[in-house]
Amino acid sequence: DEHRRKIEAGSIIFDPRTVKNAGEPWMISGREARAHDILAVHTATNRAEVEDLYALPRGTLRDDPTAGEAPKARLIRIDGPIDTVTEAFVKRQIDRSLGAGANLLIFEIDSYGGLLVPSFEIADYIASLNPKQVRTVAWVPEKAISGAAIIALGCDEVYMQPDAVIGDAMPIEIKPGAQFEKAPEKILSFMEPKMRSLATKKGRSVALMRAMFQPDFEVRRVRHREKGYVRFMSPKEIEAAGGDEIWEDRGQVDETGKGKVLTVNGLVAHDLALAKPPVNDFEDLKSRLGIAPGQNVIVVGRTWVDDLIEWLNTESAMAILITIGLICLFIELHVMTGLLGIVAAVCFVLFFWARVVGGTAEMLEVLLFILGVVCLAIEIFVIPGFGVFGVSGGLLILSSLVLASQTFTNIEPGESMRQLTHTMTALSASMVAVVAIAIVLNRYLPQMPLLGRVMLSPAGAASVQAESGGPRLRPDLASSAGGGHPLVGRRGATVSDLRPAGKIRLGDDFVDVVSDGPYIDKGSTVEIVQVLGNRIVVREV
């Protein structure tokens, strides 16, 4: 009606458009409202853009869960090489701190970095915490290099000492001869969206964070001509944001450009809006964060359990646990006390527990190991011989140990192969040790004061004890001892092929047997030459 009246009054209306039809509730997006120049003055996709619109300092609109009350702070230290064990440790400490009601997490970072994927996993985990519930702060007293810098930039705020350094997150590849080279382009393409995401979440310059891992990347300091605030952008970003009409170029950032990877101290980091104004020490940091001078910050540090997990995830611990476990099983099969079997089980439980907690294993590896043990047990106690179940069980156990000892998600060139080499070296050393110890025990176990009394001696061994010096773990002594078992010497006919295991007919009974070497065809006459427990060995007549 209003439109019609204006037409009748002689108004000239250009480009009439219908934005809402009669009889429908009106719903309009911010983009549409701005296009029609109604309701909305500006549009923004995040709080950082609102800060830019009104020339507010970065972080002004960030949620502060500690506002209005004394902060409940926890300090988590991240030092040394960053790997999957460190990743699992930091995540555990974060969950433990939040469970205790902390609303301020301080990450004291002092590291040269480490593996790329665990570094991003930690940074993403920190960045994804609810900002309405917890405030995250990175405290860098000395250095946060490479992966450590990525973790620091995943926090809401970064505080550094004036001389501390942060940056140089360029991924490298270690070539033979310990030579360091720039990683392939595909690694950089992986990092670019990850760093962009962290920068966007935390309101930092995407260009500066990109300059930390991409050499020769140029970043310009620009000033908004109308509002006066300063930002740091690449030439492409400046062009996309309006070019020289909107932005006044203040020159290139000195720490970026040809042959440089962005690495700065606390003073420069503040100037580039990557960090807060530098602090002199931890007490100064507490003052900045609103923590009372007399209030102690609880340190969520490593406990003896964390130290144990870290040690159990080393190659040496892996070799020790597997060696002890296998040797205990070897002895248990001869003495049958149950105690050594429990010790072996504890060794393998500790191995997989440390790997699961350390982040390199999940239930798949545990289930593969259990299935492998079941297959071997079937081969030993149910189907004598060395066939499908034995080979499958051995392969399953080996696969579970390898898969549990490392992750194959590393994108760093050669990292997975390097870890696999270390894993196979530890396993090989363990196998060699087991064989050597088994040979020694096979010779001297019967003479040991304690184990010799509980060892299961083969039937008929008493008659040869004088000449042999005591019972030995050699079944050939039992079989040559004059027939200690009533089945030795009896003959029967095979009712299936022995390859090498199968069945024979012994009188009216069917008996599971195994050939002493070659395959034996069905219908052949065989003689029982040896009986060890439920293992019956036959030879073709």
Side-chain angles (χ1 to χ4, degrees):
D1 292 339
E2 183 180 2
H3 177 247
R4 179 178 52 78
R5 289 195 300 269
K6 287 183 177 293
I7 295 294
E8 292 174 350
S11 298
I12 299 176
I13 300 176
F14 297 96
D15 191 21
R17 286 172 292 170
T18 301
V19 296
K20 174 192 176 297
N21 294 316
E24 298 178 359
W26 193 28
M27 296 183 65
I28 186 170
S29 69
R31 183 179 293 105
E32 292 171 332
R34 192 72 200 96
H36 295 312
D37 197 18
I38 55 176
L39 298 179
V41 178
H42 297 289
T43 59
T45 58
N46 53 53
R47 297 186 184 187
E49 291 186 13
V50 178
E51 292 168 350
D52 286 345
L53 287 169
Y54 295 97
L56 300 174
R58 281 295 172 92
T60 301
L61 301 183
R62 181 179 294 129
D63 288 306
D64 185 3
T66 65
E69 60 177 299
K72 300 175 183 176
R74 294 292 188 276
L75 177 67
I76 301 175
R77 290 195 173 99
I78 303 176
D79 50 24
I82 298 171
D83 51 20
T84 53
V85 178
T86 305
E87 175 194 342
F89 165 76
V90 174
K91 290 182 178 179
R92 282 199 310 274
Q93 305 315 314
I94 292 175
D95 294 340
R96 192 180 300 173
S97 300
L98 296 180
N103 58 13
L104 173 59
L105 296 182
I106 304 173
F107 297 91
E108 183 177 330
I109 302 175
D110 184 12
S111 171
Y112 285 108
L115 298 181
L116 187 61
V117 173
S119 299
F120 271 117
E121 288 293 329
I122 297 174
D124 289 338
Y125 196 77
I126 296 173
S128 65
L129 297 176
N130 189 342
K132 296 183 178 181
Q133 296 179 355
V134 61
R135 177 183 177 188
T136 56
V137 173
W139 158 232
V140 184
E142 292 186 16
K143 59 186 177 295
I145 305 299
S146 189
I150 295 173
I151 295 174
L153 295 170
C155 297
D156 296 330
E157 304 164 36
V158 178
Y159 287 87
M160 305 171 62
Q161 285 190 331
D163 295 332
V165 291
I166 187 172
D168 192 5
M170 183 182 72
I172 57 174
E173 179 180 5
I174 304 178
K175 291 288 188 179
Q179 294 181 348
F180 295 92
E181 292 187 6
K182 175 186 172 182
E185 192 65 29
K186 66 177 182 179
I187 307 298
L188 300 180
S189 63
F190 164 82
M191 292 186 66
E192 198 277 331
K194 303 285 284 185
M195 294 291 268
R196 178 180 294 275
S197 175
L198 286 178
T200 303
K201 287 180 180 179
K202 299 306 173 183
R204 298 189 176 94
S205 167
V206 174
L208 287 176
M209 292 184 65
R210 186 171 179 179
M212 284 191 178
F213 70 88
Q214 186 170 341
D216 307 330
F217 190 78
E218 180 183 350
V219 180
R220 311 290 299 184
R221 184 192 302 263
V222 293
R223 177 182 177 275
H224 195 282
R225 293 185 182 275
E226 179 182 346
K227 300 186 179 297
Y229 58 80
V230 175
R231 291 293 177 260
F232 301 92
M233 303 181 185
S234 67
K236 288 185 178 180
E237 289 175 326
I238 297 173
E239 188 65 28
D244 294 338
E245 295 181 2
I246 304 296
W247 301 99
E248 177 188 348
D249 193 341
R250 293 294 186 89
Q252 179 177 322
V253 176
D254 294 337
E255 292 76 15
T256 66
K258 188 171 182 59
K260 297 179 181 178
V261 179
L262 183 63
T263 306
V264 294
N265 60 25
L267 295 170
V268 178
H270 169 55
D271 180 57
L272 299 179
L274 293 173
K276 295 293 185 179
V279 294
N280 296 319
D281 50 32
F282 188 68
E283 290 300 319
D284 192 7
L285 174 65
K286 289 171 57 178
S287 174
R288 296 277 190 91
L289 298 177
I291 302 174
Q295 179 181 347
N296 290 326
V297 177
I298 299 177
V299 180
V300 188
R302 292 180 179 272
T303 64
W304 67 270
V305 176
D306 297 310
D307 293 334
L308 176 62
I309 293 172
E310 183 174 357
W311 180 77
L312 289 176
N313 276 277
T314 61
E315 286 83 5
S316 58
M318 171 187 177
I320 292 173
L321 287 175
I322 294 177
T323 301
I324 294 176
L326 293 179
I327 289 299
C328 287
L329 284 178
F330 174 80
I331 300 176
E332 180 65 28
L333 290 175
H334 293 89
V335 300
M336 295 296 182
T337 63
L339 177 61
L340 294 175
I342 294 175
V343 173
V346 169
C347 288
F348 287 109
V349 167
L350 283 175
F351 172 83
F352 282 102
W353 170 72
R355 262 57 187 181
V356 171
V357 178
T360 58
E362 296 181 355
M363 283 303 299
L364 172 63
E365 290 81 357
V366 178
L367 293 176
L368 287 177
F369 181 82
I370 294 175
L371 181 59
V373 172
V374 171
C375 288
L376 286 181
I378 292 175
E379 186 74 20
I380 294 174
F381 299 107
V382 180
I383 305 177
F386 192 77
V388 175
F389 282 98
V391 174
S392 300
L395 292 176
L396 285 171
I397 290 177
L398 177 63
S399 300
S400 68
L401 296 177
V402 173
L403 291 174
S405 299
Q406 67 178 94
T407 60
F408 290 90
T409 58
N410 298 295
I411 63 170
E412 295 95 328
E415 181 60 31
S416 294
M417 185 57 64
R418 185 187 68 83
Q419 291 185 354
L420 180 61
T421 301
H422 290 177
T423 300
M424 297 307 298
T425 300
L427 283 175
S428 301
S430 178
M431 293 298 103
V432 171
V434 168
V435 172
I437 296 174
I439 292 174
V440 174
L441 289 177
N442 196 49
R443 174 67 178 83
Y444 296 104
L445 181 61
Q447 303 173 13
M448 294 182 179
L450 179 61
L451 296 178
R453 296 191 184 98
V454 296
M455 189 189 72
L456 299 180
S457 300
S463 61
V464 296
Q465 182 169 348
E467 64 180 70
S468 65
R472 300 182 182 180
L473 302 180
R474 290 177 56 192
D476 59 304
L477 293 178
S479 58
S480 64
H485 197 282
L487 289 180
V488 174
R490 293 188 60 180
R491 296 187 177 187
T494 58
V495 295
S496 67
D497 293 335
L498 304 188
R499 304 187 176 187
K503 291 182 180 294
I504 67 170
R505 185 182 184 92
L506 199 64
D508 295 330
D509 299 323
F510 292 94
V511 182
D512 290 315
V513 298
V514 61
S515 167
D516 66 342
Y519 290 169
I520 301 177
D521 295 329
K522 177 181 177 181
S524 303
T525 301
V526 295
E527 178 181 352
I528 298 176
V529 296
Q530 188 180 59
V531 179
L532 292 175
N534 66 344
R535 181 184 174 90
I536 301 175
V537 182
V538 298
R539 180 182 299 136
E540 185 175 10
V541 176

